[in-house]
Structure formats: C-alpha cells, structure tokens
Amino acid sequence: MNAMSDVAAEAPQARPTQLKFEIGARTLMAIQRYLVRIPLTLDAARADRLPGLAPLPREAHGYVVTSLPEHLVPALVRASGDMLPFIRQRYTRHFADFGIGFDAWWNGLSSNARQGIKRKARKIAAESGGELDVRAFRGPDELEAFHDVARRISLRTYQERLLGSGLPDSPEFIATMLAQGAADQVRAWLLYIAGEPAAFLYCPVIEGGVVVYAHVGHDPAFNDLSPGAVLQLEAMRDLFEEGKFARFDFTEGEGQHKRQFATGGVACVDLFLLRPSLANRVTMAALGGFDRGVAGVKALVKRAGLEKLAKKVRRGA
C-alpha cells in the first residue's frame, strides 16, 4: 500500500450536513451535523494516498470523506485519533479511459449492452424522423441556451423532486458555468425526441483532462425510450473523437448506467469521522441500525423479485 498523509494548508470550514435516514430517494428524517467535507477526486482516489485531516474548527462535529479507497479506512481512522468512524455507503468510483479509443471502448461493453443501446437509439431516431437529434454545447453563449432548456427538463426529474439535486439555477452556478465555458472547460448535450427536449448531460472538465459526470436528467414522459443511455453514448462518441481528454469520471455512487459504460473503477466508501461525544455515539448507532434494517428489507424484496416495483415506489412514480 502506498499510503501517505498530507496536512491541508488552509483552515477547513465546517458546513451543515444532513445525516439522512433514507430509503432510496425518500428521506424519512435527518440529523444535522457540522462537518468538514473532504471530497476526493477520481485522480486522488486512484493515487491511493490518505487525505490530510487538518485540525477541526471548534464548531465542527467531524469530517465526511467521500470516495476514499476502502482499504485506506483503517489507516485514516488511526490518523484521526479517537474519532468515531462510520461507513455510510460503499460503491465503485467508475471511470472510462479515453486512451483506449472509441472502438475498443464500445467493443468492451457487453454484447447485451451494445444491442440494447442500438435498439433504443433506433426507437428514438424513428420518433424523430429517422435521425437522432443530439445537440452539443461548449462556449458561453451556447451554454446559456443549453441551461435554459436543460433546467426545464430538470424540474421534471425525480432528482429534482425527491433529492433536490437537479441542474442548479443559482447565479453562482451560472457564473461558474459561463466562466468555465469561456475557458473551454465544459461539455454539455441535449437530446431531442420528435422536437421535444428529452434529456440533458452537463460535464465540466477539470485538471488532468478529466470530464466529470456532474448533472444529468431526462423528462419522465420519455422513460420508455431510455433517452439517458442513448445520450450518454453520443456524448462518449464526441469526447473520444475530440481526443484531448484522459478519463470520464462517473463520480460517486453506484448504478447500472455507470457500470455499463465504465472501463475501470476504484472500490470506495463515504466515511464519517465524528468527535466521540455521547450524542454522536447515539447518532451513529441509530444510523447503523437503520441502514442494516433497510439492507435486510432490500434483500427480501430482491428474493421476492419485486425490484422494479420497489424502484417505482422509491421514486414516487
């Protein structure tokens, strides 16, 4: 193991963080804690090094470290002293390597995945007069037009309705988007079906030529056509053809879509490290018990073959 601890140069800031008791996309209740967030980038996770833990400000309850390679958890817990560790989720940080070329990437997908995407693309093209209608955006003026349309799609998505994580429309986000667009650090796409905007994908480009899967969504009216998968394929085709990027980062969390398009991944966790107070001990025990209960119910649902119905219930469909 090549693990090394670095001390952060700047004083960390604690931000209010909701520790959620949730089932799928539904939050039943939440406990607020002020945590210093330490998000690892894809390259940081692949580098296999411990993140630095700067001294906590007085008001902070602890840290939340995201995309930490799972095998580094014991070392980071030791580095934290006597803080309470709690793993909230485990997942693979998936990525696609642009260096292999489009043909190798496409042929690396399973035959079922390739056939399924082709079939979906043909259905969408048929609805649109025989051709796919995918539009790409990158400069500031183009991104303004993209945001206006994509935001209207986002308002109808379950990510927006249930998670509050749709495409942002704050002045800060728009200013950042336009500045990044002027620096050629954004790629975005819209998919239209029969002239109607159906799906969007928004990807900033960060240091190291990494394209980040930041915001995605589709109009639920087009669920049966799977527009997200088709748009992702066309976006990947464009990015491979540009030939200037290193990797596509599917970011945190699991998903069939991510597994299907990835060429590799890092086994990661999201780790809470909390001060050893009585209140935090009770909170960790409650979260742990709740998560184990949810996992048990999920196992029962899977054995009963009711996954599709449960997914619709979780999303409020």
Side-chain angles (χ1 to χ4, degrees):
M1 177 179 71
N2 178 25
M4 182 176 68
S5 179
D6 299 318
V7 177
E10 297 182 0
Q13 290 188 337
R15 302 184 184 279
T17 303
Q18 298 294 321
L19 307 187
K20 297 179 180 179
F21 294 74
E22 56 188 0
I23 301 176
R26 295 185 178 275
T27 299
L28 303 183
M29 64 172 290
I31 298 173
Q32 182 169 284
R33 289 291 183 268
Y34 283 84
L35 302 178
V36 172
R37 183 175 175 83
I38 304 176
L40 273 66
T41 64
L42 172 63
D43 284 352
R46 295 178 72 236
D48 203 27
R49 301 188 345 171
L50 289 180
L53 297 178
L56 285 173
R58 180 172 297 181
E59 71 276 12
H61 295 97
Y63 307 93
V64 55
V65 186
T66 61
S67 291
L68 178 71
E70 185 166 10
H71 72 95
L72 295 181
V73 169
L76 190 59
V77 172
R78 288 194 299 271
S80 75
D82 59 354
M83 301 195 76
L84 302 174
F86 182 80
I87 294 175
R88 190 64 207 267
Q89 63 172 337
R90 290 178 166 86
Y91 53 88
T92 299
R93 181 80 176 252
H94 293 287
F95 64 88
D97 180 1
F98 289 124
I100 66 175
F102 179 82
D103 290 340
W105 171 79
W106 175 249
N107 291 328
L109 273 59
S110 71
S111 59
N112 286 340
R114 294 196 304 272
Q115 292 168 9
I117 296 171
K118 287 180 179 178
R119 182 172 61 254
K120 293 168 184 174
R122 287 195 297 267
K123 289 178 66 175
I124 290 176
E127 294 284 337
S128 302
E131 298 288 337
L132 288 176
D133 186 359
V134 177
R135 308 176 192 182
F137 306 81
R138 54 196 291 182
D141 292 342
E142 292 181 357
L143 289 169
E144 278 193 300
F146 162 84
H147 187 270
D148 181 59
V149 177
R151 179 63 189 155
R152 285 185 272 124
I153 298 173
S154 183
L155 289 171
R156 297 191 286 274
T157 65
Y158 85 92
Q159 291 99 328
E160 178 89 26
R161 292 185 294 107
L162 298 179
L163 302 178
S165 61
L167 181 70
D169 63 351
S170 67
E172 294 80 9
F173 175 83
I174 293 172
T176 298
M177 176 187 73
L178 297 180
Q180 290 177 326
D184 198 32
Q185 294 175 345
V186 175
R187 298 294 182 271
W189 297 265
L190 289 169
L191 170 65
Y192 285 73
I193 299 178
E196 294 293 324
F200 70 89
L201 176 60
Y202 177 85
C203 300
V205 182
I206 64 173
E207 185 178 357
V210 177
V211 182
V212 180
Y213 182 75
H215 299 287
V216 61
H218 70 269
D219 188 328
F222 297 100
N223 277 349
D224 292 344
L225 294 174
S226 301
V230 174
L231 180 57
Q232 183 72 53
L233 170 62
E234 295 308 309
M236 296 298 283
R237 192 192 308 275
D238 285 351
L239 293 168
F240 272 107
E241 287 180 357
E242 276 202 67
K244 61 188 297 184
F245 305 116
R247 283 172 292 281
F248 190 93
D249 176 12
F250 286 99
T251 69
E252 301 157 0
E254 283 286 358
Q256 180 181 354
H257 181 83
K258 297 180 179 185
R259 292 191 297 271
Q260 178 173 273
F261 287 105
T263 62
V266 181
C268 292
V269 300
D270 288 349
L271 177 70
F272 294 144
L273 291 168
L274 300 186
R275 297 186 192 273
S277 67
L278 177 59
N280 286 337
R281 291 182 189 276
V282 171
T283 297
M284 293 297 93
L287 277 172
F290 180 83
D291 286 352
R292 287 190 294 273
V294 171
V297 171
K298 285 182 179 179
L300 289 174
V301 168
K302 185 174 182 179
R303 285 198 294 269
L306 300 174
E307 297 98 321
K308 290 184 178 180
L309 175 61
K311 185 176 181 180
K312 289 184 178 180
V313 171
R314 291 196 303 271
R315 293 188 175 185

